[in-house]
Structures are given as C-alpha cells and as structure tokens.
Amino acid sequence: MSSFFGSSSSTPSPAPDMASRRQAFMDTYRQEMALTNAQELMNKCNEKCFAKCVTKPGGSLSGSEQSCLSNCLQRYMEAFNIVSKTYIARVQKERISPELA
Amino acid sequence: MADQFDEATRKELANFVQAEQAQAHLTAQIHSLTSMCWDKCITSNPSSRFARGEESCLANCVERFLDTSLYMVKQIQEQRDRAQLSR
C-alpha cells in the first residue's frame, strides 16, 4: 500500500484532483459494499424471522409476533457475529498451519 | 475510468478492488454459514438471549462445516490416487 499522504519520493504524487477522484472512487466502492452487506443481512433476517415468528399469518402482526420478531432480529445479528468471529479465526489459523488443508 | 487516472493510480485501484472483492467473498461465505447454522442450531423461539447450547452450536457448526469441506477434498484426492495406482 502506498502512503496515504503521498510522501514517497520515487513517484510524483498524483495531481490533487486525481488524488481526490481516487479517494472518491474508493469511498463509493466501500459504501456500495457496505450497502450490499447490510441488504443481505436484512433479507436474511426477514426470511428467517418470518419463518420462526409468523407461523400462522393472521389479519395483522400480533403483539407476540412483534416481540418475537424483534428478539429474532437481535439474535440473528448476534449469530452473524459469532459465525463471523469463528470463521475468521479459523481462516487465520489455517493460514498459519496450512498442512491441515 | 481509464483516462481519469494515471498508470500508478490505476494499478493501486486495481489492487484495492481485488482486496475488496476478496473481502466481499469472505462476507458472502459468512452470510451463507450464518443462514445454514441458524437453521441447524436455533431451535427455540427467539427470546432476549440464546437458549442453552445455541451459541456453542453456532461456533461448532462453522468449525465442523470447514472440517467437512477439508475432509471431502481429502477423500476425493485419495479416490483419485487409488484410481491412478490401479491403472
């Protein structure tokens, strides 16, 4: 990774407008990724929690269905974090000792 | 984009996109594992906290899925090796 502040002497730092366009490109890209990620998580929560909490759809969402949904949403996010932590730890471990693969 | 950036910046951005795509691939796998392990492990009705054993089931689920995929690769390799020996 080249220095963010462009202090390297071997290459002339990009023209200011190019540097800001580069930054804009990266920011937009990251935002798009974050949005895709959030949408995917939202869709999954919807699907899983609807399946768990709204077993017999009635004329409206009942109070107990609503509280189930909000608990389910919290639990799904928590599950995502547990899976994420476990998966990343494992990937890092395998990388250190690749003979397992 | 091609004429907006000089050669060095283009290269840097290509590396950036590659790293972001690797990250996206990882995230997609985490989504799919969460979905699969949720179905396997979360059997109680969602309440204000996980039921007993659900949390460790989630972590085990991830580990065993990865074990499974390594095991399968090994099996396929062994099968292939045996086939080559008997040829």
Side-chain angles (χ1 to χ4, degrees), chain A residues 16-36:
Chain A
D17 63 324
M18 184 150 52
S20 64
R21 278 205 305 267
R22 184 197 63 180
Q23 197 54 46
F25 174 86
M26 287 170 139
D27 291 346
T28 309
Y29 200 102
R30 286 206 182 94
Q31 274 163 23
E32 297 275 344
M33 300 296 270
L35 188 67
T36 308

Side-chain angles (χ1 to χ4, degrees), chain A residues 13-63:
Chain A
S13 55
D17 63 324
M18 184 150 52
S20 64
R21 278 205 305 267
R22 184 197 63 180
Q23 197 54 46
F25 174 86
M26 287 170 139
D27 291 346
T28 309
Y29 200 102
R30 286 206 182 94
Q31 274 163 23
E32 297 275 344
M33 300 296 270
L35 188 67
T36 308
N37 188 24
Q39 274 170 342
E40 176 68 11
L41 191 58
M42 227 33 255
N43 286 340
K44 285 285 185 199
C45 283
N46 248 341
E47 183 193 316
K48 301 294 182 188
C49 295
F50 181 73
K52 266 217 184 297
C53 296
V54 190
T55 47
K56 274 206 176 87
S60 66
L61 283 180
S62 70

